[in-house]
Amino acid sequence: MSRKEAYAPPTLPTGGSAFGPSSSGDAASGPITQYLCGDCNSKVQLKKGDPIRCKECGHRVLYKERTKRMVQFEAR
């Protein structure tokens, strides 16, 4: 029988991250995404890790805005 090696998790180089060199916190916050509140219909900008809650009224149902890019599907 063949002998398998033990799993060793990958290590990160010091001073950076898995996605490139470290910067001043901008990469950790992530991109900002626009949402619409389901109650007061105000625009809400959220980043990764932000609580899912409207900043105006506190409502917790948010809808993602539709993309401006044209989306076309092919029907059979």
Side-chain angles (χ1 to χ4, degrees), residues 29-65:
S29 63
I32 296 175
T33 309
Q34 290 273 355
Y35 293 95
L36 290 173
C37 176
D39 193 34
C40 67
N41 207 26
S42 66
K43 291 187 177 184
V44 180
Q45 294 182 348
L46 295 179
K47 294 183 269 185
K48 183 178 180 182
D50 284 351
I52 302 171
R53 182 167 287 231
C54 177
K55 292 176 175 39
E56 302 293 324
C57 67
H59 196 68
R60 294 198 293 179
V61 176
L62 300 176
Y63 298 101
K64 193 170 186 179
E65 283 191 333

